[in-house]
Structure formats: structure tokens, C-alpha cells
Amino acid sequence: MERRNVFIEMFLIVITAWWSMVLVVNDELFHNRPEFFYTFQEIGNEAEWASIFILSLISLILGLVWGKEWMRKMSLLSSTFLYGMMAAGFILAKQPLNTGVGVYFAIALLALWGTRDVKDDE
């Protein structure tokens, strides 16, 4: 059970790190593809979104390093909220029928599913 959950957390770390990097490096992302990122642009700019992803990344990494049950569950639940919000943002975009909706909804479900197997490593 524990190995599967670590895999889920590592998967979330990779995706969150990727989004963090993309948002930090490309400060015109939302303007280049407004049909996909319309809702995100209305909430905040790329730097603000990058800070959210970086905080989520830090909590995921710290949860794995420390091995504390509460920290790991908190980071998985915050990832569930973050990627669920991304799926909702793609639904509310000017072109709601895109792959982002399904992909980020599935990632949010995966993060939520991961919380049920978290055990304290102490």
C-alpha cells in the first residue's frame, strides 16, 4: 500500500514542479493561449499561479521527506484542490472541451485517492 502512495506523491511532485517551472519561465503563457487560460488569467497572473504551485510543491516534498501523516495528507488534499480547480478553470474557459478538463480532474481524483493510504512512517 505504501509504495503505491509514494508513487502518487512522486507523480504529483513531477507535475507540480513542471507547472511551477512553466509559469516562472513563461510570463506570457496566459496571453499566448487566452482561449485555454481565460479563467486562470481572471484569477491571477502567471507569477501568482507560480507561487501557488511552488507552495504546493514544497508541501509535497516536505511531506515525503518528513514522513508525517498529517503533512502528507495536507499536501495531497491541497493537490486535490489545486488540480480540481485547474479542471474547473478549463471547464469555464472559452473552449471548455479540451483535454485539460479530463486530465486535471483525473489528477485531482488520484491525489484524493492517495490520502486514504497515508500512514505515519514513525
Side-chain angles (χ1 to χ4, degrees):
M1 286 290 202
E2 186 62 30
R3 298 185 105 212
R4 176 180 60 202
N5 195 49
V6 171
F7 175 75
I8 290 170
E9 289 173 87
M10 294 299 291
F11 178 73
L12 289 168
I13 286 171
V14 169
I15 293 170
T16 307
W18 177 256
W19 267 109
S20 298
M21 184 184 69
V22 166
L23 290 167
V24 166
V25 171
N26 190 354
D27 60 350
E28 293 292 319
L29 176 68
F30 296 165
H31 299 291
N32 293 342
R33 299 296 304 263
E35 67 276 6
F36 291 123
F37 298 113
Y38 171 77
T39 308
F40 303 107
Q41 186 176 348
E42 291 296 314
I43 295 172
N45 62 23
E46 289 85 353
E48 293 166 340
W49 278 99
S51 65
I52 293 169
F53 276 95
I54 290 169
L55 287 173
S56 181
L57 177 64
I58 290 169
S59 72
L60 283 163
I61 292 170
L62 289 177
L64 272 181
V65 170
W66 287 343
K68 301 288 185 189
E69 178 182 10
W70 67 270
M71 182 70 175
R72 292 175 68 194
K73 283 189 178 189
M74 182 192 72
S75 64
L76 285 167
L77 286 173
S78 69
S79 292
T80 300
F81 178 72
L82 178 61
Y83 289 107
M85 190 169 58
M86 286 189 67
F90 279 115
I91 289 171
L92 296 172
K94 292 181 178 179
Q95 291 186 359
L97 295 176
N98 62 57
T99 57
V101 175
V103 169
Y104 292 110
F105 179 72
I107 292 170
L109 286 179
L110 184 66
L112 183 62
W113 184 49
T115 60
R116 70 186 189 111
D117 294 332
V118 173
K119 306 254 185 306
D120 203 4
D121 288 344
E122 293 183 325

